[in-house]
């Protein structure tokens, strides 16, 4: 009972997957549903296959879980692979994988996230993947960011702070710990390590950073532990204490995260929308400078917004490199390259970085940029600055 309370009170279930990354909750529900159905796997095999199709369509990380479940049942049905039930189950699993391949094809347009095969086995990539497993078990933020309220996606265990020898040691311990707990159920152990293998490969290849990604390692363990019946029967006392220690760390981080989310906004975008409505500025033309600021403000205002950086209107992010220029051009440069912006009169400009106020001159036209407000207290350092742009006669 106490273990269940600690799990539900920990960082992932108290905050990350319940308050913030709620779309992951669907995949977690489906994975745990599989754990329930496995109690009567002989009767529910086709139903499990259908759930695997849904898992593959929930998220790539849950497709990894589906691979683990298939391996688990392939071990259970060894010698019965040619049976009609296992055949149908296999076809459903393959259908799920095909759907993953179809949906994860890279669009023809330029992609923001580049994958460089030559770097996959580099020390940097391998070190990142190793610490991803550590961060999944121990989502501890850096002390400085924690004190400032910017805990999210901040990591105490980073390559700059953890020497390589300790990286290897921590990884070894956190790979060994689940194996010891699951050692009495070989199928559950294989499920866990199959999932970890695929997500580890994902981290090696993509180098993607987010706590919700890292936390899947922990979710896979919970599912494997459920499959193994839970409990600590036959588990050495030091291993029990180690797991309890990890759970208590997660509870502490979860309570801090929840408290910080209450006392300060996670994103300042709602404050921006409220400010615009309270002063009637939302009735004017509203533009956004900075592509990643568009979706949040657009959602709260309930309409599409024009992005000066991408020179287009939208309400969601398209991961295209040209929309994220580095360094970002100044507002005058954005106006100079856009005939649409040059044809505008007065408008409200929302930027996610401070802009130089005063007179902006482009050819024979000019605008005056006046600062109205700023919002810089969000958990994720998502700052917003609001300006009034007035065309000069």
């Amino acid at each position: 009972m106490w273990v269940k309370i600690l799990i539900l009170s920990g960082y992932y279930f108290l905050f990350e997957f319940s308050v913030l990354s709620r779309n992951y909750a669907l995949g977690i529900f489906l994975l745990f549903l599989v754990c329930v159905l496995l109690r009567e796997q002989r009767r529910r095999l086709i139903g499990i296959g259908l759930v695997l199709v849904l898992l593959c369509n929930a998220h790539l990380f849950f497709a990894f879980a589906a691979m683990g479940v298939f391996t688990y049942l392939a071990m259970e049905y060894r010698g019965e692979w040619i049976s009609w039930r296992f055949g149908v189950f296999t076809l459903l699993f393959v259908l799920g994988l095909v759907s993953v391949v179809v949906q994860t094809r890279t669009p023809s347009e330029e992609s923001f996230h580049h994958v460089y095969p030559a770097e996959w086995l580099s020390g940097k990539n391998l070190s990142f993947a190793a610490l991803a497993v550590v961060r999944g078990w121990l989502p501890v933020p850096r002390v400085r960011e924690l004190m400032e309220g910017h805990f999210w996606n901040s990591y105490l265990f980073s390559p700059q702070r953890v020497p390589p020898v300790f990286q290897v040691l921590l990884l070894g311990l956190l790979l060994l710990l689940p194996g010891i707990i699951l050692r009495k159920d070989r199928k559950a152990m294989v499920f866990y390590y199959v999932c970890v293998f695929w997500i580890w490969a994902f981290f090696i290849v993509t180098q993607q950073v987010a706590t919700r990604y890292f936390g899947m390692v922990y979710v896979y363990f919970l599912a494997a532990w459920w499959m193994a019946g839970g409990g600590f029967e036959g588990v050495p006392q030091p291993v029990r204490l180690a797991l309890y220690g990890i759970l208590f760390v997660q509870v502490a981080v979860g309570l801090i995260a929840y408290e910080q989310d209450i006392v300060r906004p996670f994103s300042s975008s709602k404050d921006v929308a409220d400010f615009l409505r309270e002063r009637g500025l939302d009735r004017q033309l509203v533009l956004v400078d900075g592509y990643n600021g568009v979706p949040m403000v657009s959602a709260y205002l309930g309409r599409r917004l024009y992005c000066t950086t991408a020179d287009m209107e939208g309400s969601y992010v398209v991961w295209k490199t040209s929309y994220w220029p580095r360094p970002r051009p100044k507002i005058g440069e954005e106006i100079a390259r856009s005939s649409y912006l040059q044809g505008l009169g007065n408008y409200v400009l929302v930027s996610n970085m401070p802009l130089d106020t005063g007179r902006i001159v482009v050819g024979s036209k000019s605008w005056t940029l006046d600062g109205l407000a700023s919002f810089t207290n969000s958990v994720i350092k998502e700052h917003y600055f609001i300006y009034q742009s007035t065309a000069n006669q």
Side-chain angles (χ1 to χ4, degrees):
M1 176 180 174
W2 283 110
V3 171
K4 295 178 182 178
I5 293 174
L6 290 174
I7 290 173
L8 294 177
S9 302
Y11 174 78
Y12 292 110
F13 290 93
L14 184 66
F15 182 76
E16 186 73 29
F17 295 137
S18 62
V19 175
L20 183 58
S21 306
R22 287 173 289 183
N23 58 314
Y24 281 63
L26 174 60
I28 293 172
F29 165 75
L30 293 171
L31 178 56
F32 288 172
L33 176 60
V34 170
C35 295
V36 174
L37 295 177
L38 283 174
R39 294 172 179 172
E40 298 181 331
Q41 55 192 257
R42 293 282 168 174
R43 292 180 51 201
R44 308 292 186 185
L45 186 60
I46 305 303
I48 294 172
L50 292 172
V51 177
L52 293 194
V53 175
L54 297 178
L55 272 172
C56 289
N57 284 274
H59 195 286
L60 178 62
F61 294 152
F62 294 105
F64 298 159
M67 295 178 190
V69 173
F70 180 81
T71 306
Y72 178 102
L73 287 170
M75 295 175 65
E76 174 68 23
Y77 278 78
R78 185 173 52 188
E80 302 178 54
W81 292 353
I82 60 173
S83 65
W84 75 268
R85 282 182 176 274
F86 192 80
V88 173
F89 167 73
T90 301
L91 287 176
L92 289 170
F93 170 67
V94 171
L95 175 63
L97 289 187
V98 169
S99 69
V100 172
V101 173
V102 170
Q103 294 178 73
T104 56
R105 292 180 60 187
T106 304
S108 57
E109 65 182 359
E110 184 181 12
S111 174
F112 180 78
H113 297 295
H114 296 283
V115 175
Y116 304 102
E119 298 180 2
W120 288 357
L121 298 180
S122 67
K124 179 178 74 71
N125 285 35
L126 292 174
S127 174
F128 177 89
L131 285 178
V133 175
V134 175
R135 292 166 175 174
W137 281 93
L138 297 167
V140 183
R142 290 179 58 191
V143 175
R144 179 178 177 181
E145 277 76 4
L146 184 64
M147 297 301 294
E148 295 175 349
H150 306 304
F151 64 88
W152 189 64
N153 282 358
S154 167
Y155 308 107
L156 179 65
F157 299 103
S158 62
Q160 298 78 17
R161 292 171 179 80
V162 182
V165 63
F166 288 105
Q167 293 181 27
V168 174
L169 181 60
L170 283 170
L171 174 64
L173 290 174
L174 290 173
L175 284 178
L176 185 61
L177 179 72
I180 296 175
I181 296 174
L182 301 171
R183 62 181 179 175
K184 289 200 171 182
D185 191 323
R186 194 159 57 95
K187 299 190 299 296
M189 183 190 299
V190 170
F191 161 82
Y192 175 72
Y193 286 116
V194 165
C195 295
V196 170
F197 169 81
W198 284 110
I199 199 169
W200 201 1
F202 170 86
F203 289 131
I204 290 174
V205 170
T206 67
Q207 301 288 280
Q208 291 295 294
V209 180
T211 303
R212 60 187 180 275
Y213 302 161
F214 304 146
M216 288 304 303
V217 174
Y218 175 66
V219 171
Y220 296 150
F221 168 74
L222 294 180
W225 200 15
W226 191 332
M227 294 174 188
F232 289 106
E233 183 180 353
V235 177
Q237 187 68 15
V239 175
R240 298 187 189 189
L241 294 176
L243 182 59
Y244 271 113
I246 291 172
L247 294 179
F248 275 113
V249 168
Q250 290 198 18
V251 168
V253 177
L255 292 175
I256 292 172
Y258 203 85
E259 181 269 337
Q260 285 295 309
D261 191 58
I262 292 174
V263 301
R264 66 174 67 205
F266 188 81
S267 163
S268 297
S269 50
K270 185 177 185 300
D271 294 334
V272 170
D274 291 342
F275 176 86
L276 296 177
R277 288 197 183 96
E278 289 170 3
R279 288 156 180 77
L281 297 174
D282 61 315
R283 293 192 289 271
Q284 293 188 36
L285 177 63
V286 178
L287 277 61
V288 178
D289 177 56
Y291 190 54
N292 61 330
V294 172
M296 290 73 75
V297 179
S298 172
Y300 282 113
L301 287 180
R303 68 174 193 261
R304 292 162 62 89
L305 298 174
Y306 189 90
C307 177
T308 61
T309 310
D311 197 21
M312 62 178 290
E313 188 180 65
S315 60
Y316 58 89
V317 165
V318 176
W319 296 102
K320 190 173 181 180
T321 307
S322 60
Y323 296 163
W324 309 77
R326 296 180 181 179
R328 211 165 89 189
K330 296 181 179 180
I331 185 64
E333 296 172 337
E334 294 175 348
I335 294 175
R337 73 182 186 187
S338 172
S339 57
Y340 172 78
L341 295 175
Q342 293 177 34
L344 297 179
N346 303 338
Y347 55 87
V348 175
L349 180 64
V350 178
S351 176
N352 56 13
M353 70 177 190
L355 304 176
D356 294 330
T357 56
R359 190 178 179 88
I360 300 174
V361 179
V362 177
S364 60
K365 299 181 179 180
S366 66
W367 295 261
T368 299
L369 199 63
D370 296 309
L372 299 180
S374 63
F375 300 92
T376 59
N377 191 41
S378 68
V379 167
I380 57 174
K381 299 183 182 179
E382 183 189 77
H383 303 330
Y384 284 100
F385 304 86
I386 304 177
Y387 302 89
Q388 177 71 60
S389 178
T390 307
N392 298 316
Q393 301 297 326

